[in-house]
Amino acid sequence: MSPDSTAHSLAASVSAALEPIYQRLERLAAEVMGARPRRAAFTEAHLSGLQRLIVEFLGEEPVAWGMGFIAAPWVVDARERYLAWWQREGERVARLRLNFDPASIDVYDYLQMDWYQLAQRGQARVAYGPYVDYSGSDMYTLTATIPVVADGDFLGVAGADLAVGEVEHRLVGILRQSPEDVVIVSTERRVIAANTPRWVVGSRLSTLPVAGPRTDPSAFREVVEVPLGVGWTLAVGWPLAGTEGTSLPSSY
């Protein structure tokens, strides 16, 4: 297998490892769209089937520790904010309740969150992070979302919070199939996973990876897109010369 085909094969395997998460989000979005009444007001009672589906999904997907539907303003029960979200709490799954009072100092305003805004703007699949979810769980998190749109109306997003350590473990197992140094980088230049200590998960590269000659200390040998649809890049580094690193400098 040629080096080029190896990089594309790794990228395809990375995508396949996380594709089931987005397929579950699509089923969740379909549940919301199917529950929406055509003429009557959309109420929480119409979403009674979500809990069963989410509990089932969380049981099937160990990478995800929380999942649910986050509504656009005034969509459900004429509320400005509405969240139908369940997450793991030890051995059980419980509904998450957050403070949406705009007058409160600890209000949770998801309308300002990147994972919500990117989906609202039409991005079909979002993978935001890694970041520390101080507002929800204090966990190191990747948030996956997709827009929920019915008859041209944006209803909100279907989303899942993914444990970064679990995602890294799953992807490193794939990257270790290559003897070369390989890193996965997000659109925010954050390191998602790597099969080498050259790049630390969560650190931010100074620029997005670019392929170039070995003489260029900021260049990678090869850069390919991960076909998951979230804008991630898989980059193969040039071999290190002695103790001198050739990876992109990173900042935190």
Side-chain angles (χ1 to χ4, degrees):
M1 182 178 288
S2 69
D4 288 355
S5 63
T6 298
H8 283 91
S9 176
L10 289 174
S13 295
V14 166
S15 179
L18 298 180
E19 177 65 27
I21 294 169
Y22 285 94
Q23 291 178 351
R24 289 182 172 93
L25 292 183
E26 288 163 6
R27 287 179 57 192
L28 190 60
E31 178 76 16
V32 172
M33 290 185 286
R36 184 195 189 200
R38 290 194 173 274
R39 294 180 177 83
F42 197 8
T43 69
E44 185 171 50
H46 292 110
L47 297 171
S48 59
L50 284 184
Q51 180 176 1
R52 174 195 56 79
L53 193 61
I54 291 170
V55 170
E56 174 188 330
F57 287 170
L58 290 176
E60 295 171 346
E61 184 50 77
V63 167
W65 58 268
M67 184 177 287
F69 169 62
I70 306 96
W74 320 117
V75 167
V76 178
D77 282 333
R79 300 185 201 176
E80 189 173 8
R81 306 285 190 278
Y82 177 82
L83 178 77
W85 189 275
W86 282 262
Q87 65 184 35
R88 302 179 195 275
E89 292 185 359
E91 297 299 317
R92 58 191 288 267
V93 174
R95 185 164 182 180
L96 179 65
R97 305 284 185 178
L98 295 173
N99 177 17
F100 296 139
D101 181 1
S104 175
I105 60 172
D106 62 345
V107 60
Y108 184 78
D109 189 4
Y110 59 75
L111 299 180
Q112 304 304 315
M113 305 294 182
D114 290 274
W115 49 259
Y116 180 91
Q117 292 186 348
L118 290 169
Q120 183 182 33
R121 293 171 191 156
Q123 187 168 321
R125 288 182 171 185
V126 177
Y128 181 75
Y131 68 100
V132 179
D133 183 17
Y134 291 113
S135 301
S137 68
D138 292 332
M139 289 186 64
Y140 204 31
T141 303
L142 270 166
T143 297
T145 60
I146 64 170
V148 181
V149 180
D151 300 323
D153 296 329
F154 176 72
L155 305 183
V157 304
D161 280 336
L162 314 178
V164 171
E166 294 294 330
V167 173
E168 179 190 14
H169 178 75
R170 182 175 294 187
L171 299 186
V172 166
I174 296 169
L175 301 185
R176 282 179 176 165
Q177 297 172 19
S178 172
E180 298 182 277
D181 290 351
V182 185
V183 61
I184 300 169
V185 182
S186 74
T187 54
E188 296 86 32
R189 297 180 279 116
R190 294 283 184 190
V191 173
I192 304 298
N195 64 355
T196 166
R198 287 172 68 176
W199 303 287
V200 178
V201 171
S203 62
R204 190 192 296 270
L205 303 186
S206 59
T207 63
L208 287 171
V210 176
R214 186 171 183 174
T215 53
D216 182 349
S218 68
F220 286 80
R221 188 184 66 75
E222 186 181 9
V223 177
V224 300
E225 182 180 354
V226 175
L228 185 62
V230 297
W232 286 359
T233 297
L234 183 144
V236 180
W238 287 106
L240 292 175
T243 58
E244 296 182 3
T246 57
S247 62
L248 290 175
S250 61
S251 58
Y252 294 82

